[in-house]
Amino acid sequence: MYCNCFSEGILAAPVWPSDWAYEAESSPGSRQIQLWHFILELLQKEEFRHVIAWQQGEYGEFVIKDPDEVARLWGRRKCKPQMNYDKLSRALRYYYNKRILHKTKGKKFTYKFNFSKLMVANCPPWKVWAPPSPRLLLRSPALCQPLVPVAKQSEPLHSMLCTRATETQPAGERTPQRPPKASGDKESSGFNCEC
DNA sequence: CTCGGAATTT
DNA sequence: AAATTCCGAG
């Protein structure tokens, strides 16, 4: 009932406030990927669950199991070979004031997303894979774009999320998809920089 | 490790 | 505006 994130309703929303989804990769002059997008991407793929993963229990909370690796991947994406966890974590800290993240004190390498400020529009991490909605696939490359910041300047009031659908283990309904991950299995190791 | 100020860079 | 780099303090 509540989790209608995938229904046409929301996905077919008229227009996106600020379509960064489009400019995410293409638009030459547009901004580069943001760190939290990247984190979400990693979190969304199980290939990286040994490097970074959601923390069971509190949702939105994740643990960086291998800080060096995450930093390396981030550095690769941004073409910043000198990236390390020290720097990456500084960027993460800037998110505290922006209300995108906050720290889970006491737990090392553990942060938590502030979903009250962010709206999940597509491919929520908990479901890992949203079915069709071809219209919305726009021109996204491999997979659908993860999120959409809801409060750009005006905040509607969508603080609603898909509630916890995490490890409730519905079993029946949705079958766990394991989309395109079969043949070659090049591991692809995710992303490369096009610099 | 974690936290931010400050100066730069993109 | 979002990050990167450098770094002293707790």
Side-chain angles (χ1 to χ4, degrees), chain A residues 140-151:
Chain A
S140 57
L143 34 73
C144 47
Q145 298 297 338
L147 302 173
V148 163
V150 74

Side-chain angles (χ1 to χ4, degrees), chain A residues 10-32:
Chain A
I10 292 183
L11 290 180
V15 283
W16 307 87
S18 172
D19 28 284
W20 60 269
Y22 297 82
E23 57 190 13
E25 299 198 38
S26 323
S27 313
S30 67
R31 14 229 150 275
Q32 291 207 300

Side-chain angles (χ1 to χ4, degrees), chain A residues 55-148:
Chain A
Q55 180 80 320
Q56 158 188 19
E58 290 294 313
Y59 58 8
E61 191 172 282
F62 62 93
V63 183
I64 297 176
K65 299 178 179 177
D66 188 341
D68 293 331
E69 181 63 3
V70 171
R72 198 180 61 74
L73 291 166
W74 174 234
R76 172 171 300 177
R77 183 57 153 281
K78 289 288 292 293
C79 303
K80 284 292 184 292
Q82 309 312 311
M83 184 50 62
N84 58 33
Y85 181 68
D86 180 52
K87 296 170 189 171
L88 184 152
S89 64
R90 182 68 189 91
L92 250 31
R93 265 174 251 130
Y94 271 129
Y95 287 149
Y96 297 170
N97 291 328
K98 293 180 184 175
R99 296 292 173 78
I100 290 175
L101 281 183
H102 74 69
K103 188 74 179 66
T104 299
K105 293 172 186 172
K107 295 183 180 181
K108 207 188 291 185
F109 308 129
T110 302
Y111 300 81
K112 185 174 178 179
F113 274 99
N114 226 346
F115 284 128
S116 53
K117 188 77 175 179
L118 306 172
M119 241 306 254
V120 175
N122 216 346
C123 288
W126 324 299
K127 284 285 186 174
V128 180
W129 187 256
S133 270
R135 298 171 58 89
L136 286 193
L137 287 184
L138 4 136
R139 50 195 305 309
S140 57
L143 34 73
C144 47
Q145 298 297 338
L147 302 173
V148 163

